Amino acid sequence: MTGLVWMLLANAGVLLGARRLTTRFATGHSATDAALFFLFRLMLISAAVLAAGALHVLHPWVLGLAGGVAAGALIAAGAHREFLPWWKVANVPAVYLLAALAARLLLHAWFLSPFLGDVTSYHLPKVAEWVVHGTIFTDLGPDRRSWFPAGLELVDTWWVVFLRHDVLIEMAGIEFLALGAASTVALASRLGLAPSAALLAGAVYATVPAMMIQSVFAINDAAVAALVVMAAALIVGKVHPALILATAGVGLGVKPTFAFAAPGMIVLWLWLRKAGSAEPPSPRPSRAVWAVAALALLIGSVWYGRNAVLFGNPLYPAGTAALQFGEKSLLHRVGPSPENLAKNLSDLDGRILDRRRGAGGMLEYIAGWGTGAFAFGLIGLLWAVRTSTNWRRIAACFLLSLASVLTLAENDIWFLRFVLFFPAILAVAAAALAEEVRPLRLPLVLVTLLTLVGTFFTEDMPREAFLRSARLDWRRRSFGPDVGVPDVPYSRVGCYGDVSSMAYLLYGPDFSRDVVYLRPKSSEELIESMERRNLPALYAMTMYDRNGWGGLLARCVASGRLRRLGPGSPWYVLDPK
Amino acid sequence: MQGESSGNIGVMTLAWRLRESLAGVALVGVRLHFRPDPFDWIVALGVCWALLPLGSHPHYRNAVLCAGVGALSALHLQAQILHMLAVSNLLP
């Protein structure tokens, strides 16, 4: 209960702070300002978690107290009067679509808990460690991909630290989705769509299956996509470059794939600068806007700086042998490759119809763009680029960004999650088409609604699994047993793993279990570490056996000191001498 | 579309219209050569691209656009609905 109070206070402080920053650096374009509000909120959250974590005070009461003090000061300064009253929200179909989307997302947020392999293996173990130890200087877990930038994890931490429970962890992705939707509305509005059509564009983009699903599956590709769309909206709106840099800072901090899409955005910026504009220029904010950009760049670059210092490679473990597993290697080669482009384009062609699989968190073998963006969007884009120079420019730059990502991304069964910014321009084109050709408006709304309802259950979270999760007591809700991590009656365990060990599931949804990561060189050292650190049980799991991982475990079992809890179980218990 | 040609293809020259149409025809031809599947998304786009400049009446334009959207929607929805039913455990 105390945690809930701290959470409310901290969120009040951040909401009011973001609103005040939006007022201070307003562009005069309401949709763009709405997107900026979400960006500032995410920046403040990230800065708060990062600062508290760096100072070893990542505790609910510290963040809650700071938020409460900030909220008090901002209310005294009148920031609470700057919010738009809810009754002034437009009464158009897109608003109802967005309301239905919000209901779906909240249901998912409440009833789901993290289960995807990547999420539980390298995104969230560090969140668990940060929350348990109150600092960001912790063991990041056995999967070396934990060293990748962690911008989304900062916001994940915000949503778990107060309650010390992950029941609301999906709210982090939802915040980024809101930013993506607002940015799409802003982009549509800048392209001349009427407010109701611009809102429909936002709704179509936010209901792209891949965006909706990723947002509640605690994975960061939708978040990056939202920030690329935000950058595009700011560039098209010709706002102050510091605000574009701020977006880039936050984007780079979430995932380096933000930079993959940069070429198209840079060309767009140069092109529009040269072309001039019929629109009145945005009001020029004070020089303090550069401080906002500097803060965002600091938040985003901290991970790269850390890796450069520790490993001599800002992109570690990408481009190193750290992710090499015998013949299989991940991210070994960094940089553009025509082979990547050819393979990825061919696979985009094969996956764009989403035939092979249903929508899922990792987008295996599918694009996940949905019928609204795909069918209405492609035809709408075709029509729009024939009739408008502005559209031609923007579509060309989105295509350049798409090609850039496809040239840089390794070809695998999931790479289309890196181009989720592209459906945004399709969503805007779809709404523009429906605005121009009236008979298409109702079908677009219906198809969007069908997508919204029809993808509630996903390929990796079908109805049975979802309902089983929903029936559990929320305090103990975890997908551990469903994905091969059965619960054990120990409050303190060791973890001996490597890539894809799903270590996050060991902590429990309330982070009540102590997890100690072990990296033994020999079977004797493993047993000795468990005895010395008072660990009665060991969780051992990896996707690829390397460095004698399996042999070491086998020797422990053969020595009679470790006993496996059933055939195929990842759990071992320490037997007395 | 913000006051440019506003979709009014009547102002285009015949040569421009033919060039545009030929681009669509070429797209369809290339596609059918490499992947002979006439019920295909690029073919639908190419046909739409080829037909769009050939008439200037708004009803004609709307018909082409609606037909294009219909073709692509049918292509996308047929698999989508099956997947939706499958994950919802609603298939017999």
Side-chain angles (χ1 to χ4, degrees), chain A residues 452-496:
Chain A
L452 202 161
V453 175
T455 58
F456 187 87
F457 304 117
T458 66
E459 186 81 11
D460 40 13
M461 184 52 61
R463 192 178 79 160
E464 290 305 315
F466 183 88
L467 293 179
R468 200 163 53 243
S469 165
R471 280 192 287 268
L472 293 173
D473 177 4
W474 69 271
R475 293 172 194 82
R476 300 300 315 155
R477 191 173 289 139
S478 166
F479 282 107
D482 297 272
V483 294
V485 189
D487 204 9
V488 289
Y490 303 105
S491 59
R492 187 172 163 80
V493 300
C495 174
Y496 175 39

Side-chain angles (χ1 to χ4, degrees), chain A residues 25 27 36 39-40 43 230-231 234-235 238-250 269 273 283-297:
Chain A
F25 303 116
T27 61
L36 278 177
L39 180 76
F40 290 144
M43 276 178 58
M230 170 113 200
L234 295 181
I235 291 167
K238 296 191 170 180
V239 304
H240 195 283
L243 294 174
I244 302 168
L245 274 180
T247 309
V250 177
W269 185 71
R273 246 171 85 91
R284 210 157 170 83
S286 68
R287 283 188 184 173
V289 74
W290 287 109
V292 173
L295 176 66
L297 288 169

Side-chain angles (χ1 to χ4, degrees), chain A residues 49 59 77 91 97 101 115 197 205 291 317-318 343 379 512 519 544 556:
Chain A
V49 173
H59 304 302
N91 185 19
L97 280 175
L101 171 64
F115 69 96
Y205 183 55
K343 283 183 188 168
I379 296 290
S512 56
R519 297 174 178 87
Y544 305 109
C556 289

Side-chain angles (χ1 to χ4, degrees), chain A residues 421-438:
Chain A
F421 59 87
F422 195 76
I425 192 69
L426 296 179
V428 178
L433 182 69
E435 189 185 31
E436 185 74 17
V437 184
R438 290 291 166 130

Side-chain angles (χ1 to χ4, degrees), chain B residues 24 51 72:
Chain B
L51 292 179
L72 291 195

